[in-house]
């Protein structure tokens, strides 16, 4: 942390040229408990960090009114990363010792000194790669700035709560790890972005409607196994607000509602996304009965399936395609 703890909260603010209320607000936004006015808990690195933040604000890149929101968003992601890395380090240090054996402080310090530069270098690379990928998506997406047209999808484990109650911590952790690993791989393979994961689900976005459908069809199939709860997916398409790495829009709510009514191992989409699939022979898109869910009195779900390769459409399938086109009509937005 840039040296020993030598500054109080008031001193670090003075050295960085920030008023006390502002440094306290940022400290809380980072997720740390308040420090007493006379506690020596801050280091030269804290002073330097506040100076860097002031420099960012001076460039106009960060608005002073938004600095706490940005600090909070960064802290939530990096805190999770730090938790994982700490657990990993503890696991390495405890190998060969009993489960109750204390960790040797000197060994911990030496291991940290060797590992931290490597972790920093890898994290910097991954961050720059994601920044480049997001910039590419921004340039490719319809819309400008923080509003753009995107497909939003939810993938949800059916019966997760019931299944998890019968598992011990190790089994549950292994299942969650498998789910996040498979979901991340499938979403990345189809040019999507994982917005966030929670134990039983993942929220993702794609620029292309077809990419969202490919994720929605492939992910339940790849995940399927006898010892795993089945997966269901809902997706919608429209204008989305992106803010601090998250997404906000009625489109997000619509995708969530579609997921909640989907049967296991199926993909439901909204009318707008179904319209993007019109004329694509590799999919079958069929309207289902309207349903009432929270926020939507008469929601029209559309079931998407992959057309079996080499299969010729029967007269019935052709008629169903025509009926689907009639229901879609020239519009695209959900009622």
């Amino acid at each position: 942390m840039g040296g020993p703890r030598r500054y109080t909260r008031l001193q670090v603010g003075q050295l960085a040229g920030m008023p006390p209320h502002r440094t306290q607000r940022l400290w809380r936004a980072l997720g740390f408990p308040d420090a007493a006015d006379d506690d020596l808990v801050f280091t030269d690195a804290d002073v330097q960090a506040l100076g860097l933040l002031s420099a960012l604000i001076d460039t106009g890149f960060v608005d002073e009114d938004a600095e706490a929101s940005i600090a909070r968003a960064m802290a939530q992601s990096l805190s999770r990363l730090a938790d994982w890395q700490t657990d990993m380090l503890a696991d390495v240090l405890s190998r060969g010792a009993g489960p109750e054996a204390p960790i040797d402080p000197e060994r911990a310090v030496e291991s940290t000194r060797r590992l931290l530069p490597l972790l920093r270098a890898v994290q910097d690379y991954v961050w720059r790669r994601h920044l480049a990928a997001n910039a590419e998506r921004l340039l490719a997406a319809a819309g400008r700035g923080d509003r753009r047209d995107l497909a939003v999808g939810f993938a949800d484990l059916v019966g997760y709560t019931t299944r998890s109650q019968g598992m011990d911590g190790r089994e549950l952790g292994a299942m969650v790890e498998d789910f996040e690993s498979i979901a991340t791989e499938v979403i990345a393979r189809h040019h999507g972005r994982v917005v966030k994961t929670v134990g039983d689900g993942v929220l993702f976005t794609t620029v292309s409607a077809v990419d969202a459908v490919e994720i929605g069809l492939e992910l339940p199939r790849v995940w399927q196994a006898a010892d795993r709860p089945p997966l269901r997916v809902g997706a919608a398409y429209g204008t989305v607000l992106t803010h601090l790495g998250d997404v906000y829009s009625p489109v997000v709510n619509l995708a969530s509602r579609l997921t909640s009514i989907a049967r296991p191992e199926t993909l439901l989409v909204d009318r707008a996304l179904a319209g993007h699939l019109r004329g694509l022979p590799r999919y079958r898109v069929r309207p289902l009965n309207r349903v009432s869910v929270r926020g939507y009195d008469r929601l029209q779900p559309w079931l998407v399936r992959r057309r079996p390769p080499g299969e010729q459409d029967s007269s019935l399938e052709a008629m169903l395609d025509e009926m689907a086109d009639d229901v879609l009509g020239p519009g695209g937005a959900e009622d």
Side-chain angles (χ1 to χ4, degrees):
M1 292 304 301
R5 303 176 184 185
R6 62 177 70 182
Y7 306 118
T8 66
R9 180 177 68 85
L10 298 178
Q11 289 172 332
V12 77
Q14 291 173 349
L15 291 169
M18 285 189 179
H21 73 275
R22 188 176 169 200
T23 58
Q24 186 176 53
R25 182 182 62 181
L26 289 172
W27 187 248
R28 289 173 177 173
L30 290 172
F32 300 121
D34 287 347
D37 290 347
D38 56 350
D39 282 350
L40 297 174
V41 297
F42 297 99
T43 72
D44 289 332
D46 297 305
V47 177
Q48 183 182 17
L50 289 177
L52 291 173
L53 180 57
S54 293
L56 274 175
I57 292 172
D58 291 341
T59 66
F61 184 74
V62 173
D63 189 315
E64 184 172 342
D65 293 335
E67 65 182 13
S69 297
I70 293 172
R72 187 162 49 250
M74 292 179 62
Q76 288 171 356
S77 298
L78 294 177
S79 173
R80 184 181 179 189
L81 180 64
D83 286 343
W84 167 72
Q85 291 171 342
T86 305
D87 290 343
M88 183 176 63
L89 178 62
D91 183 61
V92 170
L93 293 173
S94 62
R95 287 175 188 170
E100 303 299 326
I103 294 175
D104 179 11
E106 292 186 5
R107 186 181 171 210
V109 169
E110 180 58 31
S111 297
T112 302
R113 283 176 176 162
R114 287 188 288 107
L115 288 174
L116 280 183
L118 300 175
L119 289 173
R120 271 200 303 264
V122 171
Q123 287 168 192
D124 179 68
Y125 163 75
V126 174
W127 168 70
R128 287 186 289 110
R129 264 294 177 188
H130 274 293
L131 196 63
N134 288 339
E136 189 173 4
R137 292 190 191 100
L138 175 62
L139 295 174
R144 300 187 59 185
D146 58 359
R147 293 184 181 273
R148 65 198 74 164
D149 289 342
L150 294 173
V152 178
F154 274 102
D156 172 60
L157 294 174
V158 182
Y160 170 82
T161 302
T162 303
R163 179 71 67 94
S164 63
Q165 288 174 350
M167 294 181 170
D168 61 28
R170 185 177 295 274
E171 290 175 326
L172 181 60
M175 186 180 74
V176 171
E177 173 63 26
D178 286 346
F179 172 65
E180 292 187 359
S181 174
I182 290 173
T184 300
E185 180 179 341
V186 171
I187 291 168
R189 186 159 60 238
H190 294 288
H191 315 290
R193 181 178 80 88
V194 174
V195 177
K196 56 188 173 185
T197 60
V198 288
D200 62 342
V202 59
L203 170 64
F204 64 90
T205 61
T206 64
V207 173
S208 161
V210 171
D211 283 333
V213 168
E214 286 296 319
I215 292 169
L217 292 174
E218 182 177 342
L219 188 50
R221 178 182 61 80
V222 174
W223 168 255
Q224 186 180 34
D227 60 342
R228 293 171 176 169
L231 194 64
R232 59 187 176 184
V233 184
Y237 189 91
T239 302
V240 174
L241 169 68
T242 61
H243 180 66
L244 299 178
D246 211 336
V247 290
Y248 305 88
S249 168
V251 177
V252 181
N253 296 332
L254 183 53
S256 176
R257 300 296 177 267
L258 288 166
T259 307
S260 69
I261 62 174
R263 295 178 64 85
E265 298 172 2
T266 63
L267 166 64
L268 295 185
V269 304
D270 72 327
R271 180 179 175 183
L273 202 155
H276 282 271
L277 306 180
R278 177 183 287 177
L280 298 179
R282 61 184 181 273
Y283 305 117
R284 284 187 174 143
V285 185
R286 300 288 184 258
L288 303 181
N289 292 331
R290 291 180 179 268
V291 295
S292 294
V293 294
R294 184 160 56 92
Y296 298 89
D297 290 334
R298 300 185 72 240
L299 175 63
Q300 172 75 76
W302 293 75
L303 176 66
V304 181
R305 293 177 296 166
R306 198 181 301 282
R307 188 187 305 266
E311 180 178 286
Q312 297 297 318
D313 272 349
S314 64
S315 57
L316 175 61
E317 293 293 347
M319 182 182 69
L320 291 174
D321 283 338
E322 291 180 5
M323 291 175 60
D325 282 343
D326 289 341
V327 176
L328 277 171
E334 182 64 46
D335 292 341

